[in-house]
C-alpha cells in the first residue's frame, strides 16, 4: 500500500477513535453549552437548546456520568457550572464536588433551561443560546460531536461555517475535515491496511483496550440493565458467551453514567466498545499472537468507520450494525480467513441485522450489542466455512462494496420516516 494512503488511513482512524466520557450526544450538548457560557463570560440566566431529532432522542434516557441522573438538564447544569470546552467529549468528567454544585444549580434554575427539537437541520446539530444581564452568546455544533460551526457574542459573529446546515442532511463528515484526510475507503483497502501496516502504526490501539476494559470491569459489578453481569454468571466457561458478556458489561456501565472514559468510534462510545473488546477478548482466548490481535483491532475499527460513513454519523439505523460488522471481519481474520471470507462475513451480517433501529441511547443498548455480537460470531463462522448469502438475497450483491453501499442507503435514505416515528413515540409515551 502506498505510504501516503496508509498515512491518510491512520489519520482517519485516529480522528474517529477517541476518548469520550458518557454518551456522546449529551457530551456534545454539554460541550456546546460550555462553549456558549465561556463566550458569554458569565453564568447565564437562561439556556436555550435547539437539537436535531437524532441528538434529542439519544440524550433523553441515558445516564450522565457521576450523577445518578438521566437526561440533558443535569448535563447542561454541569456545563454551566464547571464546563471546560477544551476537554472535548470528556467535558462531563469532573470531581464529585462539582457535580453536587451542578445539582444545586439545576434545583434552583431548572425552569431557565429550554430544550426542544429543531426541524430541518443536519442530523447532528446542537445550538445553544445563553443570556445574562443584557448580554448573549450562541454556539452551534454540527456534523461531528466536537465540530463548532458557529459562535457569536452580543450579535457579533466570531465563527460562521453554517452554510448548508439548515436542511435535512446526511451528516456526512465535515468537508474541511475531509480535505485533511481525504481517501475513498473500500473494503479491500481496509483489509490491506489492517494486515500490512507496520505494527508500530497500530500500537496506539492498545490504549483503547485499556480504557474500554476498565469500563467492562465496572459493568460486571452490576450497572445499567446488568446484562453483562447476568450473562457472565451464565457463561459457564463458554468462550463466545464470556466474550459477549464482558463486552456488553462496558455498555451497561457507560449507559448508566459510569465516570470512566471509553474510546469511541465514529462519535459513539458503544461503537468503540463493540469494535474493541470482543476482538481483544476472543483473540486472547484463542491464543492468537499480539500481532494478530492488533491487526484484528485495526480491521474492526476501520471497517466500522468505512461502513458508518455510508450510513451517516447519526441515523435511524443502530450503530451496533456497523460496529458488529467490523467485529465479524476481525473475527474472520483471527480464524485465518482470507479477504474473500471476510467479505462473506460482512455480507452475512448485512442480511442479518440490517433492520436494527436506533431508539435512543439508554441501558438496553447493551442488549442490542449482545444481539449484534452473537450474529457476528455466527456470520463469521459461516464465512470461515465459505458459506455466504446469495447475491440475490436482500441487500446483498456480488460486489462487497456495493452491498455495503446498499446498507448505507437503507440507513441514510430509507429510514428517515422511521426516525420521525421513533421520536414521536418516545416523546408521547403515556
Amino acid at each position: 500500500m502506498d505510504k501516503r494512503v496508509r498515512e491518510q488511513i491512520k489519520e482517519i482512524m485516529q480522528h474517529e477513535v477517541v476518548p469520550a466520557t458518557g454518551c456522546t450526544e449529551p457530551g456534545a450538548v454539554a460541550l456546546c453549552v460550555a462553549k456558549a457560557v465561556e463566550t458569554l463570560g458569565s453564568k447565564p440566566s437562561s439556556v436555550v437548546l435547539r437539537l436535531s431529532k437524532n441528538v434529542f432522542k439519544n440524550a433523553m434516557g441515558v445516564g450522565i456520568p457521576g450523577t445518578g441522573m438521566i437526561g440533558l438538564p443535569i448535563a447542561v447544569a454541569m456545563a454551566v457550572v464547571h464546563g471546560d470546552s477544551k476537554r472535548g467529549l470528556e467535558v462531563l468528567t469532573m470531581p464529585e464536588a462539582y457535580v453536587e454544585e451542578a445539582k444545586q444549580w439545576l434545583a434552583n434554575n431548572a425552569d431557565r433551561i429550554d430544550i426542544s427539537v429543531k426541524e430541518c437541520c443536519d442530523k447532528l446539530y446542537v445550538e445553544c443560546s445563553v443570556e445574562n444581564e443584557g448580554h448573549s452568546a450562541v454556539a452551534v455544533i454540527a456534523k461531528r460531536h466536537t465540530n463548532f460551526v458557529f459562535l457569536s457574542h452580543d450579535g457579533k459573529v466570531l465563527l460562521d461555517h453554517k452554510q448548508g446546515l439548515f436542511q435535512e442532511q446526511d451528516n456526512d463528515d465535515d468537508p474541511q475535515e475531509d480535505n485533511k484526510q481525504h481517501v475513498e475507503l473500500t473494503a479491500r483497502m481496509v483489509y490491506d491496511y489492517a494486515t500490512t501496516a507496520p505494527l508500530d502504526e497500530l500500537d496506539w490501539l492498545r490504549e483503547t483496550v485499556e480504557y474500554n476494559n476498565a469500563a467492562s470491569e465496572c459493568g460486571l459489578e452490576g450497572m445499567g440493565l446488568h446484562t453483562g453481569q447476568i450473562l457472565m454468571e451464565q457463561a459457564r466457561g463458554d468462550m463466545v458467551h464470556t466474550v459477549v458478556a464482558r463486552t456488553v458489561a462496558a455498555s451497561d456501565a457507560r449507559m448508566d453514567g459510569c465516570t470512566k472514559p471509553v474510546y469511541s468510534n465514529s462519535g459513539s462510545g458503544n461503537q468503540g466498545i463493540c469494535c474493541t473488546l470482543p476482538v481483544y477478548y476472543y483473540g486472547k482466548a484463542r491464543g492468537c499472537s499480539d500481532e494478530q490481535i492488533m491487526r484484528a483491532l485495526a480491521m474492526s475499527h476501520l471497517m466500522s468507520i468505512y461502513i458508518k460513513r455510508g450510513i451517516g454519523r447519526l441515523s435511524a439505523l443502530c450503530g451496533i450494525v456497523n460496529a458488529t460488522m467490523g467485529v465479524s471481519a476481525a473475527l474472520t481474520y483471527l480464524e485465518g480467513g482470507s479477504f474473500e471470507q471476510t467479505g462473506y462475513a460482512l455480507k452475512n451480517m448485512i442480511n442479518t441485522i440490517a433492520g436494527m433501529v436506533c431508539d435512543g441511547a439508554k441501558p438496553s443498548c447493551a442488549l442490542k450489542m449482545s444481539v449484534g455480537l452473537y450474529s457476528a460470531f455466527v456470520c463469521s463462522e459461516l464465512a470461515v466455512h465459505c458459506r455466504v448469502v446469495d447475491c440475490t438475497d436482500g441487500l446483498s450483491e456480488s460486489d462487497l462494496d456495493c452491498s455495503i453501499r446498499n446498507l448505507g442507503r437503507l440507513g441514510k435514505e430509507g429510514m428517515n420516516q422511521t426516525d420521525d416515528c421513533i421520536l414521536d413515540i418516545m416523546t408521547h409515551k403515556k
Side-chain angles (χ1 to χ4, degrees):
M1 177 177 286
D2 179 79
K3 182 180 179 181
R4 182 182 62 85
V5 173
R6 199 180 74 232
E7 289 174 348
Q8 288 177 316
I9 292 175
K10 180 184 177 182
E11 186 179 349
I12 289 172
M13 287 184 65
Q14 292 185 324
H15 193 71
E16 296 286 12
V17 183
V18 296
T21 302
C23 179
T24 45
E25 275 68 61
V29 172
L31 175 61
C32 194
V33 173
K35 189 71 168 180
V37 172
E38 290 166 1
T39 305
L40 181 66
S42 62
K43 283 188 174 63
S45 57
S46 67
V47 179
V48 177
L49 284 166
R50 298 293 178 259
L51 313 175
S52 64
K53 56 180 174 284
N54 300 78
V55 172
F56 188 87
K57 76 175 182 183
N58 275 358
M60 286 178 62
V62 69
I64 305 302
T67 67
M69 301 171 69
I70 65 171
L72 283 176
I74 183 59
V76 170
M78 292 168 73
V80 166
V81 173
H82 284 292
D84 180 358
S85 66
K86 293 189 294 295
R87 293 184 58 78
L89 289 179
E90 293 186 83
V91 67
L92 291 174
T93 301
M94 57 183 62
E96 185 177 347
Y98 288 6
V99 173
E100 292 306 313
E101 189 177 339
K103 288 181 178 180
Q104 187 60 51
W105 185 92
L106 181 60
N108 296 329
N109 298 278
D111 59 344
R112 299 184 181 186
I113 302 174
D114 178 3
I115 305 172
S116 64
V117 171
K118 186 178 185 72
E119 300 294 341
C120 299
C121 62
D122 190 81
K123 289 185 177 180
L124 199 167
Y125 185 90
V126 181
E127 177 183 311
C128 179
S129 303
V130 292
E131 293 184 358
N132 187 44
E133 296 182 349
H135 296 282
S136 64
V138 178
V140 177
I141 285 175
K143 292 189 175 293
R144 292 177 178 272
H145 292 77
T146 58
N147 183 46
F148 285 97
V149 297
F150 184 83
L151 289 173
S152 71
H153 180 252
D154 286 342
K156 181 182 178 181
V157 175
L158 307 177
L159 172 72
D160 189 359
H161 294 153
K162 289 200 300 183
Q163 185 177 0
L165 293 178
F166 297 102
Q167 52 187 330
E168 285 291 346
Q169 296 210 355
D170 300 321
N171 64 286
D172 293 326
D173 296 323
D174 179 60
Q176 291 185 330
E177 293 292 344
D178 259 3
N179 290 337
K180 296 177 186 177
Q181 49 177 350
H182 185 72
V183 59
E184 293 293 334
L185 291 174
T186 65
R188 180 84 229 193
M189 289 172 67
V190 170
Y191 184 89
D192 287 348
Y193 177 83
T195 56
T196 65
L199 277 178
D200 60 356
E201 287 189 15
L202 308 179
D203 199 57
W204 63 277
L205 288 168
R206 296 180 192 279
E207 194 168 87
T208 67
V209 175
E210 179 183 341
Y211 273 52
N212 295 356
N213 183 63
S216 172
E217 294 296 330
C218 287
L220 287 173
E221 294 175 5
M223 296 185 72
L225 204 58
H226 292 222
T227 313
Q229 183 188 54
I230 292 170
L231 289 180
M232 181 63 82
E233 290 171 356
Q234 302 302 313
R236 298 184 178 88
D238 179 83
M239 186 187 302
V240 172
H241 214 56
T242 300
V243 168
V244 172
R246 294 187 67 182
T247 301
V248 302
S251 178
D252 281 325
R254 179 174 173 271
M255 294 292 95
D256 200 25
C258 175
T259 57
K260 292 185 181 297
V262 301
Y263 262 86
S264 61
N265 183 305
S266 302
S268 165
N270 274 341
Q271 290 175 54
I273 288 167
C274 192
C275 288
T276 304
L277 294 183
V279 176
Y280 175 77
Y281 294 148
Y282 186 72
K284 283 293 187 181
R286 292 284 289 165
C288 297
S289 68
D290 182 70
E291 176 177 350
Q292 287 174 313
I293 292 173
M294 296 310 297
R295 295 195 181 283
L297 284 170
M299 188 177 301
S300 180
H301 277 289
L302 190 56
M303 193 67 77
S304 180
I305 291 167
Y306 165 49
I307 297 166
K308 185 64 173 175
R309 284 191 160 193
I311 297 169
R313 193 164 293 268
L314 290 181
S315 167
L317 197 63
C318 180
I320 291 303
V321 172
N322 51 275
T324 52
M325 285 178 66
V327 173
S328 73
L331 294 175
T332 305
Y333 166 76
L334 287 174
E335 289 293 338
S338 63
F339 170 70
E340 185 177 28
Q341 289 168 315
T342 299
Y344 291 169
L346 292 170
K347 288 183 180 182
N348 290 344
M349 286 292 285
I350 289 172
N351 274 40
T352 304
I353 61 169
M356 185 182 287
V357 299
C358 172
D359 53 347
K362 68 280 183 213
S364 60
C365 286
L367 279 175
K368 291 188 176 184
M369 190 180 293
S370 70
V371 170
L373 288 174
Y374 283 123
S375 295
F377 276 102
V378 172
C379 290
S380 174
E381 189 168 349
L382 286 174
V384 170
H385 287 82
C386 295
R387 306 306 300 171
V388 62
V389 296
D390 288 335
C391 61
T392 55
D393 286 7
L395 303 180
S396 184
E397 294 193 32
S398 56
D399 181 82
L400 174 58
D401 292 295
C402 285
S403 301
I404 291 171
R405 283 195 291 272
N406 291 343
L407 175 67
R409 184 182 171 192
L410 174 68
K412 185 176 285 188
E413 302 173 19
M415 301 186 77
N416 285 331
Q417 280 188 297
T418 302
D419 233 357
D420 293 334
C421 181
I422 290 171
L423 183 61
D424 185 63
I425 291 170
M426 290 176 66
T427 54
H428 292 89
K429 294 182 181 180
K430 296 180 181 179

